[in-house]
Amino acid sequence: MRASGVLMPIFALPGRYGIGSFGPKAYEFVDFLSRCSQRYWQILPLTTTGYGDSPYQSFSAYAGNPNFIDLDELVKLGYLKRGDLEGVKFGDDPTRIDYATIFVARRKVLERATARFMQDPPSDLDEFSRKHASWLDSYCEFMTVKEEFGLKAFHEWPQQYRNPGKASRDLSAKREHHYQYHLMTQYFFFKQWESLKGYANERGVLIVGDMPIYVSRDSVEMWAMPQLFRVGEDGSPTSVAGTPPDQFSATGQYWGNPIYDWDAMAQDHYSWWVERMRMSLKMYDIVRIDHFRGFESYWDVPFGSATSAAGSWSKGPGTALFDELTRQLGKLPIIAEDLGFMTPEVIKMREDTGFPGMKILQFAFDGNSDSYYLPHHYTPNTIAYVGTHDNQTVRGWYENTATPRQREQADRYTRRAKGEPVGAAFNRAIAASVSDTCIYTMQDLLDLGDEARINVPAVLGGNWDWRMREGAITRAVEEALLDLTQTYFRVPGARPPELPA
């Protein structure tokens, strides 16, 4: 079935408290998607952010980002008073997230809610705790100890706390308010997210979530379950993830995420992955798995190497993992992020799973050649994008990066009219493609430049902070998106064409 959607991170929504949240603006965004006959809202990971404010470097594979909690809802419930929010500064620029400011400001406000929460906990708190028992207690304990030691990475804590045990439990009991803070924020995160997702689903909008393949070295999983990873006797990873040297970097990218012990995981039927996917399928309607090629083979870098160039390719679990997930969970609604260094083996793995892969139009134009990423090479079981969260906006690419030959090729291929925004021309090209689904980025729909770029890979700082302006979605924007959707027969539920007699 042909359909389309929009990629828009929660954090990029407008709002009063420094960062996008599950508040009224999220519900308004669902209404916008519904009015424009969009089937999908694709988001970025909802997990806590760690190093570099990246949602791909989280303290937990499960815990939600407390920054997304709607503070006004807590006022309605009585856990906050309106005065708790008055005079609190959450940042000066409504188009940018000031992470340092909201780290202090939102924590101060939520601490006030914690005190009232502990005095009068909600009736379903025990049920919530049981439902999330496999990860919730260890996460709250981990974060309580982390805060005791100035948020240092757990491998820098005093030795008796570097693994869960009596010392960490005793400290959590002693710092009950801190433990309860993390319990409370997870409770409200999941309650509010379930409400928002339910609202979207009722209006025919499905949520495409994002699952990073790896976890952070400084994560509760590495702390509480080191047996999942390839680690030495001291608990340090023996090897970490990255990317090999390529035309963009002579040394590759040193990500530093610990590598899974795939052999050990296979022996217990990938139980950790089964539970992770089970929860993801409850949170989202479809799951995009980041760095999908890493399941076939991954760039394996010895821990502590100066650069990623010291790495080599190692075999991953391949289709065995997905066969087990399917056996235990049924048919999997997964999008395979199959970008990067592709090989026949990776392509075969994706085809064997049946998952749709991704096509990125911005990659298609080198000024001359017939690229794999040009729409006339697409197939129905694919997801077409102009760009992802790691790309420039298409306007930024066209104005700041593309050569004259690339611009000429792009204009000719997309049949761009004189004066037509480049984003509109590119969006039309993916809408007209045979891909069953196309996903537009909100920035390209708004014809924004590189000031609205979300992430520059391998660059620390200045990422993940773009926010959409209040009122940016005008009637003209809606009409253009709806026209695109109707013209190229991407309205959900539309009847397929009849075969000729």
Side-chain angles (χ1 to χ4, degrees), residues 60-347:
S60 167
Y62 292 92
N65 189 338
N67 286 332
F68 297 156
I69 294 172
D70 175 24
L71 301 180
D72 288 327
E73 176 69 14
L74 299 191
V75 172
K76 292 178 184 177
L77 293 171
Y79 292 105
L80 286 176
K81 297 184 183 301
R82 184 55 61 186
D84 293 330
L85 299 171
E86 293 176 357
V88 180
K89 290 194 174 294
F90 296 93
D92 297 324
D93 185 350
T95 69
R96 284 281 177 261
I97 301 166
D98 184 339
Y99 281 101
T101 295
I102 65 169
F103 178 82
V104 174
R106 291 183 67 97
R107 178 63 183 249
K108 181 179 179 181
V109 169
L110 288 170
E111 287 279 8
R112 293 170 180 168
T114 302
R116 300 183 184 108
F117 181 86
M118 293 173 67
Q119 291 172 3
D120 185 21
S123 59
D124 61 346
L125 179 61
D126 288 343
E127 179 186 350
F128 170 79
S129 298
R130 286 193 299 271
K131 181 179 177 182
H132 297 278
S134 64
W135 64 270
L136 181 61
D137 183 67
S138 57
Y139 169 75
C140 295
E141 190 174 305
F142 175 81
M143 292 304 297
T144 299
V145 180
K146 172 177 279 293
E147 290 173 352
E148 180 73 10
F149 298 112
L151 296 176
K152 290 181 179 178
F154 80 87
H155 52 271
E156 298 176 1
W157 299 349
Q159 188 65 47
Q160 67 267 36
Y161 297 104
R162 292 184 189 178
N163 299 103
K166 186 177 185 302
S168 59
R169 290 193 299 272
D170 288 347
L171 181 57
S172 294
K174 184 179 179 182
R175 299 286 186 262
E176 182 184 14
H177 183 85
H178 294 278
Y179 183 96
Q180 290 290 335
Y181 169 85
H182 296 291
L183 176 62
M184 180 205 73
T185 52
Q186 291 309 302
Y187 171 83
F188 284 118
F189 171 92
F190 281 96
K191 292 285 284 188
Q192 292 186 3
W193 172 248
E194 288 170 7
S195 295
L196 177 59
K197 179 180 180 295
Y199 183 87
N201 289 169
E202 288 169 3
R203 283 148 186 79
V205 176
L206 302 181
I207 303 295
V208 181
D210 195 308
M211 177 188 286
I213 182 174
Y214 295 121
V215 301
S216 170
R217 183 190 177 195
D218 185 27
S219 66
V220 66
E221 285 79 21
M222 271 288 283
W223 179 66
M225 296 178 283
Q227 70 275 11
L228 298 176
F229 306 93
R230 288 163 49 184
V231 296
E233 291 184 2
D234 65 349
S236 297
T238 57
S239 60
V240 294
T243 63
D246 56 21
Q247 67 268 34
F248 302 109
S249 172
T251 59
Q253 295 179 32
Y254 185 95
W255 294 344
N257 303 84
I259 296 293
Y260 298 111
D261 187 337
W262 288 115
D263 291 337
M265 285 183 160
Q267 291 176 12
D268 79 342
H269 305 284
Y270 302 102
S271 62
W272 183 80
W273 276 97
V274 171
E275 290 309 307
R276 188 184 187 196
M277 183 60 69
R278 192 192 310 277
M279 181 168 170
S280 294
L281 294 177
K282 291 178 181 176
M283 290 187 68
Y284 315 118
D285 299 294
I286 299 165
V287 178
R288 171 194 176 272
I289 300 184
D290 190 60
H291 197 57
F292 184 79
R293 69 104 54 241
F295 294 107
E296 192 282 322
S297 55
Y298 52 88
W299 193 245
D300 191 347
V301 185
F303 177 64
S305 298
T307 72
S308 190
S312 59
W313 289 108
S314 294
K315 278 293 182 183
T319 56
L321 168 62
F322 298 103
D323 290 343
E324 187 63 39
L325 291 173
T326 300
R327 187 183 71 79
Q328 296 198 43
L329 302 175
K331 186 176 180 181
L332 301 172
I334 283 174
I335 296 172
E337 189 271 287
D338 56 344
L339 307 176
F341 180 65
M342 296 295 287
T343 64
E345 293 80 9
V346 177
I347 295 171

Side-chain angles (χ1 to χ4, degrees), residues 437-478:
T437 302
C438 65
I439 303 289
Y440 316 105
T441 69
M442 196 66 233
Q443 302 97 305
D444 290 340
L445 291 171
L446 297 175
D447 189 34
L448 299 178
D450 275 342
E451 75 280 359
R453 184 171 184 172
I454 289 177
N455 182 48
V456 182
V459 172
L460 185 64
N463 292 323
W464 319 107
D465 64 355
W466 172 71
R467 296 184 72 195
M468 182 171 66
R469 287 184 181 275
E470 183 80 37
I473 301 177
T474 62
R475 171 173 255 179
V477 170
E478 290 197 15

